[in-house]
Amino acid sequence: LVSKMVKPGKNEKPGRYVLKYISTGLQDTGQMNILNAKNEISKMAVVTEDMFSTFLDVFTHPDVKMGIEVDKVKRMEELTDQMQEEISRYLVECSNEELSEKSIRNVNALLRIVNELENVGDSCFKLIILTQKKYNRKLQLHERAQEEIKDFAKLVTEFMAFYKANLNEALDNKGLDIAFKMENKINHSRDNLKRAARKRLQEGADVNAELLYLDILKNFEHIGDNALNIAQALRNIS
């Protein structure tokens, strides 16, 4: 309650993330420890989703959002790094206990998910830096490119929402098929948009603006790859 009421000052950095279960030690049952880890991984997924939505907000409203929101994403990127370290350490501690084969598979899948989420956070931070570069250099994307990015971002947002919704349960074959279809949509859009960028360049579009556009597409694609990897890891959880 106090944390919610008393916000940190403007120049005050938030404290380092510490996974509370580590300080209290492992529980008696391996299943409870894995559940604790899943709860923290769900929080990490929320952070990365927030990072992507903040990027979109800044990209759409650079004049209003640039300074404060860029700092916010930087802090969240540092948070995802800390979460990866702490949660992975906890999962390794879990694996040192006597676990069933099923629990060992779950721990390995969760370790993979944590790593993929940290990669999503890295891509989101790169996207906000690209947005800052666009703003500082006064690069103007083609009007079509602006709309293309918004449409492409919807596919990425849907994929992130999909894995976040399924983090606390095993993904069945039907769910994995959905994930592959979402990844295929992202890849198909990437190919079409890259062709559109090449065509604009041939027609005399600003080279620096189109190169930045291609970098944005590349990071969208990376997030899609990470999302598919998370879905595949969830298929291995039982």
Side-chain angles (χ1 to χ4, degrees), residues 78-133:
E78 291 170 352
L79 175 59
T80 57
D81 288 346
Q82 293 166 12
M83 294 183 91
Q84 179 196 31
E85 181 184 338
E86 291 288 307
I87 298 170
S88 297
R89 183 184 296 125
Y90 182 75
L91 286 167
V92 169
E93 285 189 30
C94 290
S95 67
N96 290 331
E97 299 294 306
E98 290 187 11
L99 296 175
S100 65
E101 259 186 60
K102 171 183 168 183
S103 293
I104 291 171
R105 281 198 308 272
N106 287 344
V107 166
N108 290 335
L110 293 174
L111 281 166
R112 183 182 181 189
I113 291 169
V114 170
N115 185 61
E116 297 297 339
L117 286 172
E118 195 275 333
N119 288 336
V120 171
D122 286 347
S123 292
C124 290
F125 182 62
K126 289 173 185 174
L127 285 167
I128 202 77
I129 293 301
L130 287 170
T131 305
Q132 191 174 42
K133 179 180 175 182

Side-chain angles (χ1 to χ4, degrees), residues 14-28:
R16 180 179 174 82
Y17 167 84
V18 177
L19 203 161
K20 63 183 179 181
Y21 305 111
I22 288 181
S23 60
T24 57
L26 296 177
Q27 306 294 319
D28 291 335

Side-chain angles (χ1 to χ4, degrees), residues 13 37 61 64 73 118 128 142 144 148-149 159 200:
K13 290 186 178 180
H61 309 95
V64 180
V73 172
E118 195 275 333
I128 202 77
H142 193 282
R144 284 200 305 272
E148 287 163 359
I149 285 175
F159 211 169
R200 285 194 294 268

